[in-house]
């Protein structure tokens, strides 16, 4: 599909925060929201080459939720006909997470999908250890056919929110030093619960919003506020570059509805 259209599509999900029982904050069912992403993709005709989930798969203290998350990832992959790759976040338990597909023997890997290399890194401690950085250096020494995408939980940049400003990857400079000049076309991350894009040393960085709850920017300098507004991202690679779009699972009340013909006329200023 990506070679025919010229676009390699990544369904980028993050921060599921699944629980063993009950609803997170009395409202959030992480497993159900994974299912809804599949519903949305099927209904809209989105056909991703790969699904990437950038960490916090379960809520801290809920190791028993990994079995349900694993099953949900398998179902999502089957429905969309695409591999589902996951990385660990600060809420994740690296031992219990071995129940997840692809984590049985470790949490770091390089996967090839239609010529694109997707590298999974483990930043559940908020940093990348020396062994990972050494492995990454060796892996990137040979370029992939269509470039590389790096996925990890902690972005190599801080959030503009005062309370999250220091919550990025603690050794971001070490990671960027390894990636600079390589074939890496994008870095995908999560953790902030709000979308963020940047360009660091020539590499686009996309922080995906959360499926669990959205962090608003006006909570004040000493607070964070989670709103029930689950979102995910579409990231597309092409020969011209890379773009990312945010998709909300909860639809706000529409202000208007117009036909496609009317919308096109307005866009081209046709009276």
């Amino acid at each position: 599909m990506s070679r025919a259209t010229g676009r390699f599509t990544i369904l980028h999900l993050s921060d599921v925060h699944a629980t063993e029982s009950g609803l997170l904050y009395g409202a959030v069912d992480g497993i159900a929201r994974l299912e809804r992403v599949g519903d949305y993709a099927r209904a809209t005709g989105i056909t991703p080459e790969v699904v990437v989930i950038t960490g916090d798969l379960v809520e801290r203290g809920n190791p028993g939720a990994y079995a349900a998350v694993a099953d949900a990832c398998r179902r999502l992959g089957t429905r969309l006909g695409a591999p589902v790759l996951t990385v660990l976040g600060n809420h994740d338990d690296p031992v219990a997470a071995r129940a997840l597909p692809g984590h049985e023997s470790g949490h770091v890997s390089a996967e090839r999908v239609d010529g694109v290399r997707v590298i999974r890194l483990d930043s559940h401690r908020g940093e990348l250890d020396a062994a990972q950085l050494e492995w990454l250096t060796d892996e990137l020494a040979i370029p992939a056919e269509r470039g590389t995408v790096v996925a990890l939980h902690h972005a190599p940049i801080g959030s503009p929110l005062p309370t999250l400003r220091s919550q990025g990857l603690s050794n971001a400079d070490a990671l960027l030093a390894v990636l600079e000049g390589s074939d890496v076309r994008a870095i995908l991350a999560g953790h902030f619960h709000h979308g963020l894009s940047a360009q660091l040393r020539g590499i686009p960085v996309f922080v995906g919003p959360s499926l669990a709850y959205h962090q608003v920017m006006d909570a004040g300098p000493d607070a964070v506020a989670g709103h029930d507004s689950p979102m995910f991202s579409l990231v597309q690679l092409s020969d011209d570059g890379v773009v990312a779009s945010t998709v909300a699972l909860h639809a706000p009340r529409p202000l208007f509805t117009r036909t496609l013909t009317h919308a096109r006329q307005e866009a081209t200023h046709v009276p």
Side-chain angles (χ1 to χ4, degrees):
M1 177 65 73
S2 64
R3 293 177 189 269
T5 63
R7 297 186 303 272
F8 182 94
T9 300
I10 303 169
L11 205 59
H12 178 197
L13 319 180
S14 199
D15 296 272
V16 180
H17 291 272
T19 53
E20 294 176 359
S21 63
L23 301 176
L24 180 67
Y25 300 116
V28 177
D29 184 337
I31 301 301
R33 291 187 175 184
L34 285 172
E35 300 285 354
R36 287 176 58 195
V37 170
D39 294 341
Y40 182 96
R42 291 290 297 273
T44 55
I46 296 170
T47 56
E49 273 66 48
V50 63
V51 179
V52 176
I53 309 179
T54 49
D56 281 359
L57 300 156
V58 307
E59 176 72 3
R60 182 180 291 111
N62 287 263
Y66 282 111
V69 172
D71 287 343
C73 288
R74 292 186 187 99
R75 288 194 299 271
L76 185 60
T78 298
R79 291 188 70 190
L80 300 183
V84 177
L85 305 179
T86 56
V87 303
L88 300 191
N90 54 292
H91 277 251
D92 287 307
D93 181 329
V95 176
R98 291 186 183 274
L100 295 169
H103 290 260
E104 297 85 356
S105 59
H107 308 303
V108 177
S109 72
E111 312 288 341
R112 296 307 205 276
V113 182
D114 198 12
V116 175
R117 173 172 51 190
V118 181
I119 290 179
R120 300 184 305 127
L121 298 177
D122 177 8
S123 71
H124 78 273
R125 296 183 184 277
E127 64 179 8
L128 300 175
D129 59 28
Q132 279 192 79
L133 293 172
E134 182 178 357
W135 172 86
L136 181 61
T137 300
D138 292 341
E139 177 65 31
L140 292 175
I142 301 176
E145 179 188 353
R146 303 179 69 192
T148 295
V149 173
V150 171
L152 74 168
H153 185 63
H154 295 80
I157 189 174
S159 165
L161 279 170
T163 47
L164 298 177
R165 190 169 294 145
S166 62
Q167 296 298 309
L169 189 71
S170 64
N171 59 341
D173 285 344
L175 171 63
L176 293 172
V178 172
L179 301 185
E180 189 172 14
S182 71
D183 71 339
V184 172
R185 301 186 61 187
I187 300 170
L188 306 184
H191 188 54
F192 294 151
H193 286 241
H194 67 74
L196 178 67
S197 59
Q199 183 161 300
L200 302 177
R201 306 197 190 183
I203 303 172
V205 179
F206 301 113
V207 179
S210 168
L211 275 184
Y213 57 88
H214 176 65
Q215 301 267 27
V216 297
M217 293 290 178
D218 58 353
D222 302 313
V224 292
H227 286 226
D228 190 7
S229 184
M231 306 179 198
F232 64 95
S233 296
L234 288 174
V235 179
Q236 292 187 313
L237 308 179
S238 70
D239 291 340
D240 295 325
V242 56
V243 298
S245 303
T246 298
V247 179
L249 280 184
H250 285 182
R253 182 179 177 182
L255 294 176
F256 61 86
T257 301
R258 294 174 180 166
T259 65
L260 184 58
T261 300
H262 188 176
R264 285 172 174 167
Q265 287 176 341
E266 285 196 336
T268 55
H269 304 288
V270 176

